[in-house]
Amino acid sequence: MTEPARRPIVDGEPKLHEHHLWRQAIVYVRQSHPQQVLDHVESTARQYALVERAVALGWTPERVVVIDEDQGQSGQSAATRLGFQRLLAEVSLDHVGLILGLEMSRLARSNKDWHQLLELCAIFRTLLADADGLYDPTDYNDRLLLGLRGMMNEAELYLMKSRLLEGMRHKARRGDLLNRPPMGYVRGPDGDYQLDPDEQVQRVVRLIFDVFEQQGSLHGLLRYLVAHDIRLPIRPHFGPNRGHLEWRRPSRMTLQSLLHHPIYAGAYRWGYRKMDPRKQQPGRRSTGRTLNPADSCEVLIPDRFPAYITWERFESIQQRLADNRAIATSLGAPREGPSLLVGLLVCGRCGRRLLAAYSGQANRLRYTCMRATIDYGAPGCLSLAGAFLDDFVAEHLLRVLQPASLELSLAAEQALQAERTQLEAHWQQRLERAQYQAERAARQYRAVEPEYRLVTRELERQWEEALRHEQLEQEAYARFRREQPAELTASERDAIRRLAQDMPGLWAASETTAQDRQEIVRLLLEQVTVGVQGDSEQVDVRLHWAGGVESQHRVIRPVARYEQLSTYPQLLARIDALHGEGVNFEQIAAHLNREGFYPPKRTDQFSAAMVAGVLSRRGLHGPRPRAMVDGSVLTPHEYWLTDLARELAMPIATLHKWQRSGWVQSRKVAVAAGRWAIWADEEERKRLRRLRAYQRKWPEPRYPEVLTTPKAREPGESR
Ligand SMILES: [Zn+2]
């Protein structure tokens, strides 16, 4: 490239015409990266010199406009570059006779933008100029040249980028491409990472891993750190305090990236972030990044750095984190909520994980196999009441735990003691630091000559502040000691032993949270497979115990209807037989209970009323005498609601609901204390029976309309 020559106006310049000079000349100035703006002051100056070139070509200085909004905008695409947008707009408004740039094809960074500009310039007869010459896009040869230059420019950009990347990759393969040391590491004099020399920093990093393993979840870790006011040691990478230790509030994001970072197990990684262009947002550079797990990073060199944890521990933490992501195919972390088994239950039919759902006014727990429904919109596979299953498993667990209780109490005592020791050490270091800071402030104050009054005043202030801080820390420590003495007291020891020996009492205690129970279950059980025999009350439960043992159980679940009971035929036969012998309802109920029959809801045993219910549903009880079958009150084919319900062998409440929904022809009879009369001829009764028998399948939202639309009453019949 040569310096733009100050040429005199060439009258015979064949491409330059009057109509070009009538319009503006635009100088487009751009440096892609802020660093370039600083480094290439010279080239920026050259770009501004283009104004003089325009003047030399015949424009008056007022008619030369400089667009430099895009300074410092890295621009692979025009979307974020306002200056380029403005340039396009000006051209398409026919305001521009000439565009000047330092090197024409660098006006636009991508081929697409470049061709768009060329197209517009051709339509509006705008000339393009750079240091090398003047181009007319309406001229075929010029246009070809400009197009080629755009293409070469893009190719050059690509080569530059890939050469840069290749260099980085080469360095990374040796494990030498280091960016910024993560928490707990500092850059040593040789440029390599080493453990942070500050002992407290090391201790906090180790504590994070210990606590995560103990709590089992990121959230538990965060909660623990917040509860114990443990702050994270950060050495900022920039700013006035660069490289100096700061103690910051723990955040989920920081902890998460720390737990995922293989450096803590001593490994070097490179290429753990990849770009997903679909997730990128224009103008936001950091969007669209997805993270690679450690083992699929482009470069992973084990034992490259001093480690905080072993590689095995790192892997088990990764596994735990993966499990915690509540994906249907992995073991779930204990969730808050009354469900004991969610995350452990697996459908015996399709092998998917069961979900917990709460429904109804009582917020009853149900376990459902809905994964296929949620993912694929397929019909639901399994759904069963939850409480009975939780109870069953809890009962089994306690039976298993009983013999181990003494050992448990000792382990609990040790764990509690270890935790206290760790916290105590953390506090000692905090106090030491505060004390050191106060002493240093005092030393600094004393070291200054009294003449420097401004300085002494500031140092005095700092000293006082350090003293105040030390006092606050002392007070906080005293509070901590009061709440949690360093040694377990005799009564605490006692309480632990007593509790551990009364497992059922401990399980049911009000201090035991649902989450505690979930954690206990997860310690002992790996999986619970549940299968239902058809649609019946018989449930097969397989418990997969930690350690690989499996046990198989048959449990009775509550079901909605008598017909679902596997014993339904025997039950009916037994009731019929006893009823035939003239045994009264109460005695029949007693017989049934003694013989091991159970009602569908499993809430209690058979009662006389339930026996009567079973009989009346089958019409054996005999219809109730119609109270007011009276031509003056009811028309032909009209029934009292209760009578029709009995006729159709369905619950009164359900028929009431249909009536409220307008699914039957009904009227309120004032003379009969406002009772509902429902009109249903032969055809209507048939429809209602079909409606009753109809079973909706998920995801069908409502019953078919043919079944819910009542037949119009003939004119003569209505009243
Ligand atoms: Zn299923």
Side-chain angles (χ1 to χ4, degrees):
M1 239 181 313
T2 54
E3 197 70 24
R6 291 191 182 202
R7 286 185 292 184
I9 300 173
V10 185
D11 282 333
E13 177 78 66
K15 289 168 190 164
L16 193 63
H17 293 283
E18 276 288 285
H19 62 81
H20 292 128
L21 288 167
W22 291 340
R23 294 175 288 166
Q24 295 169 348
I26 288 188
V27 175
Y28 181 69
V29 180
R30 192 177 75 78
Q31 291 283 354
S32 63
H33 197 269
Q35 196 56 42
Q36 276 182 327
V37 177
L38 293 177
D39 292 350
H40 300 264
V41 183
E42 192 197 346
S43 105
T44 312
R46 274 164 60 203
Q47 296 201 34
Y48 285 110
L50 290 169
V51 176
E52 288 162 38
R53 170 110 198 264
V55 174
L57 280 170
W59 270 267
T60 54
E62 313 87 74
R63 299 290 286 159
V64 183
V65 179
V66 177
I67 294 183
D68 58 0
E69 281 116 305
D70 291 344
Q71 287 283 58
Q73 289 278 346
S74 146
Q76 317 242 327
S77 152
T80 57
R81 284 164 42 207
L82 293 175
F84 189 73
Q85 303 276 7
R86 194 176 132 206
L87 180 67
L88 290 180
E90 290 289 323
V91 172
S92 51
L93 285 169
D94 203 8
H95 287 170
V96 186
L98 173 72
I99 300 173
L100 293 117
L102 198 56
E103 196 180 332
M104 209 62 270
S105 55
R106 284 192 193 260
L107 280 184
R109 264 284 143 113
S110 88
N111 235 339
K112 175 178 143 282
D113 295 343
W114 174 236
H115 281 279
Q116 191 187 359
L117 179 68
L118 279 190
E119 202 72 43
L120 276 177
C121 288
I123 293 168
F124 292 98
R125 298 181 301 171
T126 303
L127 296 178
L128 294 154
D130 62 9
D132 297 337
L134 197 63
Y135 309 94
D136 182 0
T138 52
D139 177 77
Y140 174 72
N141 283 319
D142 277 6
R143 192 153 168 185
L144 195 67
L145 183 68
L146 289 170
L148 269 173
R149 282 180 148 214
M151 234 145 80
M152 307 248 309
N153 187 43
E154 192 156 302
E156 188 192 346
L157 199 69
Y158 169 79
L159 281 175
M160 230 162 63
K161 240 161 102 184
S162 64
R163 218 170 291 146
L164 197 68
L165 195 70
E166 201 40 59
M168 277 165 71
R169 186 171 286 142
H170 198 70
K171 211 170 162 193
R173 287 217 187 92
R174 295 196 312 264
D176 286 343
L177 187 65
L178 300 178
N179 200 355
R180 291 167 182 155
M183 183 200 309
Y185 287 89
V186 291
R187 222 179 248 279
D190 55 349
D192 215 351
Y193 292 167
Q194 57 187 43
L195 294 190
D196 197 312
D198 190 301
E199 210 181 305
Q200 194 183 357
V201 170
Q202 292 192 21
R203 183 174 279 276
V204 168
V205 172
R206 293 211 164 88
L207 182 78
I208 288 171
F209 288 107
D210 290 347
V211 173
F212 175 79
E213 282 168 334
Q214 176 201 335
Q215 297 280 326
S217 71
L218 191 57
H219 186 68
L221 167 64
L222 186 61
R223 217 171 28 189
Y224 182 95
L225 296 181
V226 171
H228 292 94
D229 191 23
I230 293 169
R231 291 172 169 256
L232 302 185
I234 308 282
R235 294 184 188 270
H237 300 302
F238 35 76
N241 207 17
R242 181 175 161 186
H244 289 284
L245 198 54
E246 282 179 16
W247 294 91
R248 295 202 192 149
R249 193 165 70 125
S251 82
R252 195 186 168 83
M253 281 308 287
T254 315
L255 293 174
Q256 189 169 19
S257 57
L258 182 138
L259 291 172
H260 279 300
H261 206 314
I263 190 173
Y264 294 98
Y268 173 87
R269 72 170 175 191
W270 186 76
Y272 69 103
R273 280 196 287 226
K274 55 184 175 208
M275 271 304 178
D276 187 345
R278 293 167 302 175
K279 291 184 182 167
Q280 242 175 335
Q281 296 166 21
R284 299 185 56 191
R285 280 162 61 83
S286 56
T287 53
R289 284 181 187 163
T290 54
L291 298 184
N292 271 340
D295 46 8
S296 52
C297 286
E298 208 176 313
V299 179
L300 187 75
I301 306 172
D303 302 323
R304 165 78 177 74
F305 300 112
Y308 277 96
I309 53 173
T310 62
W311 186 255
E312 288 71 39
R313 267 182 86 189
F314 174 74
E315 282 192 320
S316 94
I317 288 171
Q318 302 314 302
Q319 187 58 48
R320 189 76 200 232
L321 286 167
D323 288 348
N324 287 357
R325 258 175 266 130
I327 324 171
T329 47
S330 63
L331 186 69
R335 298 247 167 262
E336 298 278 14
S339 155
L340 184 67
L341 300 173
V342 68
L344 285 178
L345 289 174
V346 167
C347 175
R349 275 183 206 161
C350 67
R352 289 193 174 87
R353 203 157 287 281
L354 297 189
L355 305 176
Y358 301 89
S359 62
Q361 283 176 329
N363 227 6
R364 284 227 177 77
L365 169 65
R366 282 193 84 73
Y367 292 121
T368 55
C369 179
M370 294 285 283
R371 207 61 242 184
T373 313
I374 291 166
D375 289 348
Y376 307 108
C381 169
L382 187 78
S383 168
L384 71 169
F388 88 97
L389 202 60
D390 282 8
D391 290 348
F392 166 78
V393 173
E395 203 178 294
H396 251 264
L397 275 186
L398 291 179
R399 223 177 292 159
V400 171
L401 276 177
Q402 205 64 40
S405 57
L406 190 66
E407 225 168 289
L408 279 174
S409 77
L410 292 175
E413 208 179 297
Q414 272 168 9
L416 203 58
Q417 187 65 58
E419 190 191 331
R420 293 229 176 140
T421 312
Q422 213 167 24
L423 284 175
E424 177 70 29
H426 174 72
W427 268 107
Q428 287 304 340
Q429 277 171 336
R430 266 174 82 157
L431 291 176
E432 218 174 280
R433 182 176 294 275
Q435 199 184 348
Y436 165 72
Q437 276 163 354
E439 277 166 13
R440 191 178 58 174
R443 264 202 316 280
Q444 281 171 341
Y445 173 71
R446 289 195 198 102
V448 174
E449 302 288 335
E451 292 89 79
Y452 297 112
R453 250 180 297 161
L454 271 178
V455 181
T456 41
R457 218 175 296 147
E458 170 61 17
L459 285 175
E460 192 178 0
R461 198 191 57 73
Q462 283 179 7
W463 183 16
E464 274 167 13
E465 192 155 307
L467 281 176
R468 209 163 33 242
H469 176 70
E470 191 192 353
Q471 196 179 354
L472 284 177
E473 291 281 277
Q474 289 278 8
E475 284 165 9
Y477 175 61
R479 263 200 308 281
F480 161 76
R481 280 302 291 267
R482 209 167 37 245
E483 283 161 19
Q484 304 196 339
E487 292 285 318
L488 294 179
T489 62
S491 67
E492 277 177 318
R493 253 173 245 269
D494 233 33
I496 292 172
R497 290 200 186 137
R498 218 175 32 248
L499 277 173
Q501 272 155 44
D502 176 21
M503 287 309 291
L506 187 60
W507 183 267
S510 57
E511 292 88 3
T512 311
T513 63
Q515 202 179 356
D516 292 336
R517 294 192 194 103
Q518 289 179 342
E519 275 169 19
I520 294 173
V521 172
R522 274 158 188 72
L523 281 176
L524 296 173
L525 284 173
E526 275 168 1
Q527 203 180 69
V528 178
T529 313
V530 187
V532 175
Q533 302 273 314
D535 193 20
S536 77
E537 83 289 10
Q538 308 274 345
V539 181
D540 287 321
V541 179
R542 198 154 7 121
L543 301 177
H544 306 254
W545 298 90
V549 183
E550 284 186 16
S551 60
Q552 178 89 38
H553 311 269
R554 174 61 65 85
V555 194
I556 308 296
R557 67 159 180 163
V559 288
R561 298 191 310 274
Y562 275 96
E563 289 83 348
Q564 281 177 271
L565 290 176
S566 59
T567 54
Y568 186 57
Q570 294 94 310
L571 178 71
L572 283 189
R574 189 70 187 124
I575 293 179
D576 284 350
L578 290 165
H579 187 56
E581 289 167 23
V583 181
N584 72 24
F585 293 160
E586 198 133 355
Q587 285 165 335
I588 295 180
H591 270 287
L592 294 176
N593 289 333
R594 224 176 13 253
E595 289 161 23
F597 287 103
Y598 38 81
K601 300 264 200 268
R602 289 285 288 154
T603 43
D604 48 8
Q605 297 189 309
F606 274 106
S607 67
M610 287 161 115
V611 176
V614 176
L615 283 169
S616 84
R617 282 155 50 85
R618 302 177 58 232
L620 292 176
H621 188 191
R624 199 178 60 167
R626 277 199 189 182
M628 298 170 80
V629 188
D630 183 350
S632 65
V633 179
L634 295 182
T635 58
H637 298 311
E638 264 192 339
Y639 293 80
W640 296 117
L641 191 144
T642 44
D643 288 340
L644 184 60
R646 184 175 301 114
E647 167 86 24
L648 299 172
M650 64 183 286
I652 293 165
T654 310
L655 188 57
H656 232 304
K657 208 172 87 194
W658 291 1
Q659 182 269 324
R660 280 200 303 277
S661 313
W663 293 358
V664 290
Q665 294 281 7
S666 65
R667 66 184 175 98
K668 208 167 201 168
V669 183
V671 294
R675 292 173 71 193
W676 286 102
I678 294 177
W679 175 84
D681 62 1
E682 181 73 18
E683 203 180 324
E684 273 288 90
R685 289 202 299 278
K686 219 154 109 195
R687 174 180 70 88
L688 294 176
R689 278 202 185 87
R690 274 177 54 211
L691 178 59
R692 172 79 183 135
Y694 189 81
Q695 286 198 344
R696 272 182 306 170
K697 283 270 188 294
W698 204 96
E700 203 175 350
R702 47 176 66 97
Y703 290 99
E705 219 164 284
V706 275
L707 290 184
T708 57
T709 315
K711 180 179 156 188
R713 287 177 75 162
E714 278 133 47
E717 275 183 310
S718 68
R719 43 191 299 161

